[in-house]
Each structure stands twice: as structure tokens, then as C-alpha cells.
Amino acid sequence: KSMSRDETFPVDVDEDEALAAKLLALADRASADLREAGLAARTVTVKLRDDDFTTRQASRTLGDAVHSDRAVFAVARRLLARLRAARRRPARLVGVSLSGFVPAAGDGQLSFFDQAGGAGASAGAEGAGGGAETARDRAIAAMIDDVRERFGPDALGRAGGR
């Protein structure tokens, strides 16, 4: 089984940053669905449908399951870049799918300002396309989920694609 989110655009999108911004929102929603189900995923797949209706996909199976927005998006963004490099066409649709489910680990809550995993570890993992998830990532995701549960799904979101 898998959980996925995708979006078909009213107008084809050709800008990489615009596609990455759409992918960020979709990764955010898919990982929130995953956490709500109490799961983590080992495989991230990105789907891209070009303006000529060619549908392409790229997947990555991780060593450790993830469920935080940052970790899912780090992998998804690398996959999107790979698809765009292979064939550069305006896109009609972009999507992200999560699969290879395992029960989510119940880590203890961290303070928002704790440095578990450190900024260097996160940047290194993302730079390598690893999407390694830290305890801090999981704590931030849990806080975001709490705020959205209390104030609605649009109460809090990520500002950019980094």
C-alpha cells in the first residue's frame, strides 16, 4: 500500500522552483497523513506528468523509515531534480507517494530549540540526498501537527523549499 498526494496544474509549469514549491506542499500533506496513521515510510516516489502526457516516476528506498516533512521533501526534491534532468518539458502534474510502511517510532519530545542531530547533520544528509531524519525533525513535525489539529490544516506551513 501507499499514501500519495498529487496536483494537476491548470497551466503547465516549467520552472524548477515552482515545481519544487508544489512538491513541498504535497510532501507536507503526505507526511502529515502518514503521521496521522502512526506510520513511517521507507520509500519515497515522485511522479511527473509532462505536457505531452508522458508520465515518469523516480523512487528511493531509504535505510531508515521517515515521517517528517523535512526528510520526505529532501528525498522528493532530489528525485524531482533527477526527473527534470532526464527530460526537460513543462509539467502538467507532480505527485509524491510514500510506501514501505513501518510503525512510527515513539521518540520523546524535544524542545523546539534542542540541537539533536545538529544543523550540520541535517544539511549533510539533505545535501547527499539521504533524507536522514533526526529526533528534532520528528519533534518539529509533531508540533506542527498539534498546531494544525488545534487551529486547522492551514494554520502552519513551511515557507520555502529548503
Side-chain angles (χ1 to χ4, degrees):
K1 291 198 166 194
S2 66
M3 290 184 182
S4 64
R5 293 289 187 143
D6 56 42
E7 182 177 346
T8 301
F9 309 125
V11 176
D12 296 343
V13 176
D14 196 28
E15 298 296 320
D16 289 341
E17 287 306 313
L19 285 171
K22 297 287 188 186
L23 187 64
L24 173 63
L26 296 170
D28 181 50
R29 289 171 40 205
S31 51
D33 292 345
L34 194 65
R35 291 189 302 274
E36 186 177 323
L39 299 170
R42 289 195 59 228
T43 301
V44 178
T45 303
V46 170
K47 177 168 71 170
L48 195 61
R49 181 166 299 136
D50 297 332
D51 62 341
D52 63 357
F53 292 95
T54 300
T55 301
R56 303 176 291 134
Q57 295 186 61
S59 296
R60 175 136 193 252
T61 298
L62 306 169
D64 294 316
V66 296
H67 68 158
S68 72
D69 307 344
R70 191 218 47 92
V72 169
F73 180 65
V75 175
R77 184 165 179 139
R78 285 276 200 239
L79 295 171
L80 176 64
R82 189 167 76 194
L83 288 169
R84 296 284 290 165
R87 184 172 193 252
R88 192 148 207 59
R89 297 284 304 218
R92 299 187 77 73
L93 173 143
V94 68
V96 63
S97 175
L98 306 172
S99 59
F101 300 132
V102 297
D107 294 351
Q109 177 108 8
L110 292 177
S111 160
F112 182 77
F113 297 102
D114 283 348
Q115 294 297 313
S122 293
E126 189 171 340
E133 184 173 89
T134 66
R136 184 170 189 257
D137 291 331
R138 291 186 292 275
I140 290 170
M143 284 186 243
I144 290 170
D145 290 344
D146 289 344
V147 169
R148 288 178 178 163
E149 184 175 325
R150 186 169 179 189
F151 298 106
D154 297 326
L156 194 59
R158 292 190 31 188
R162 296 198 172 220

